[in-house]
Amino acid sequence: MTESAEKNFPAYSHLPQMPVVQSGDCELLAAGKIDLLGINYYQPRRVKARMTAINPDSPFLPDWFFENYEMPGRKMNPYRGWEIYERGIYDILINLRDNYGNIPSYISENGMGVEGEHRFIGEDGQVKDDYRIDFIRGHLQWIHTAIAEGSNCRGYHLWTFIDNWSWMNAYKNRYGFISLDLESQQRTVKKSGEWFANVSRNNGF
């Protein structure tokens, strides 16, 4: 840690701020020894210069230097409280193309969590999650644009194929193509699951 950093962040002066670099690490990175990159993208993180004092109890180094910024007019997932910014997935892929040797990549995680999704169960017992279809379609359109512009993206995976348990919130937020009834363990394909199956079969929409 630098002298100025020690002065501004005395509670953390004993912590190493950079990883240990070993002999050969730089050469390995320069050689581009990455066979395949997995990209997890759910929402953007927008930041601004700090307007308040630093929280000395924060264990996260980036939070020392900026605060979160909520862009006016942003598109939101009202069922989860996260911003929806489909173009962000394009920006990542183009950044990889232009600045990182166009590493072969997959979208390994992308998805829309919804709390209380049982509210959208239709008379036939199926979750009518048109909001998730719109979310996926918007992201796929930007992925398609990136591929058309030379991105080396090889595929897309939604988080997740079935509603699953989360370390952070158990089963509160549902993400899957298939709904899971916790009591009966019955699995039911959501409307988005049928839609995505057709997209896969037709290679488009």
Side-chain angles (χ1 to χ4, degrees), residues 8-23:
N8 292 323
F9 312 112
Y12 296 95
S13 60
H14 65 288
L15 297 177
Q17 301 304 310
M18 296 296 291
V20 176
V21 178
Q22 300 182 4
S23 176

Side-chain angles (χ1 to χ4, degrees), residues 83-101:
E83 180 179 352
I84 297 175
Y85 183 64
E86 298 93 337
R87 184 185 168 120
I89 211 164
Y90 166 87
D91 294 339
I92 293 170
L93 293 173
I94 296 302
N95 187 27
L96 288 173
R97 182 199 68 185
D98 293 347
N99 300 308
Y100 295 92

Side-chain angles (χ1 to χ4, degrees), residues 34-192:
I34 299 176
D35 298 320
L36 187 66
L37 180 67
I39 301 166
N40 297 352
Y41 176 73
Y42 292 90
Q43 62 172 331
R45 183 173 189 183
R46 304 183 188 276
V47 299
K48 63 181 179 181
R50 292 203 66 88
M51 304 294 290
T52 59
I54 296 166
N55 175 13
D57 297 322
S58 173
F60 303 109
L61 177 64
D63 294 339
W64 298 352
F65 301 112
F66 57 75
E67 295 179 349
N68 291 325
Y69 172 69
E70 295 184 359
M71 186 178 69
R74 61 186 180 150
K75 181 179 179 180
M76 294 295 294
N77 169 4
Y79 315 111
R80 181 69 172 85
W82 284 3
E83 180 179 352
I84 297 175
Y85 183 64
E86 298 93 337
R87 184 185 168 120
I89 211 164
Y90 166 87
D91 294 339
I92 293 170
L93 293 173
I94 296 302
N95 187 27
L96 288 173
R97 182 199 68 185
D98 293 347
N99 300 308
Y100 295 92
N102 213 8
I103 301 168
S105 63
Y106 276 83
I107 304 302
S108 48
E109 287 187 27
N110 178 237
M112 182 180 188
V114 173
E115 183 178 353
E117 199 164 53
H118 60 275
R119 294 172 292 167
F120 304 103
I121 296 177
E123 295 181 359
D124 59 356
Q126 182 185 56
V127 175
K128 307 300 183 183
D129 55 342
D130 293 273
Y131 42 83
R132 183 168 291 110
I133 293 172
D134 292 339
F135 178 94
I136 298 170
R137 180 189 290 114
H139 285 82
L140 288 180
Q141 287 172 333
W142 279 109
I143 294 170
H144 180 272
T145 300
I147 292 172
E149 295 179 8
S151 166
N152 200 5
C153 182
R154 306 292 182 85
Y156 171 90
H157 303 276
L158 186 83
W159 183 266
T160 177
F161 93 95
I162 189 171
D163 292 334
N164 66 335
W165 187 82
S166 164
W167 288 100
M168 293 183 64
N169 51 58
Y171 279 98
K172 183 177 75 171
N173 297 305
R174 302 302 185 99
Y175 284 85
F177 283 129
I178 299 172
S179 62
L180 173 65
D181 185 290
L182 296 180
E183 294 185 3
S184 68
Q185 291 296 294
Q186 180 178 352
R187 303 179 179 194
T188 306
V189 179
K190 301 177 186 178
K191 184 176 179 180
S192 63

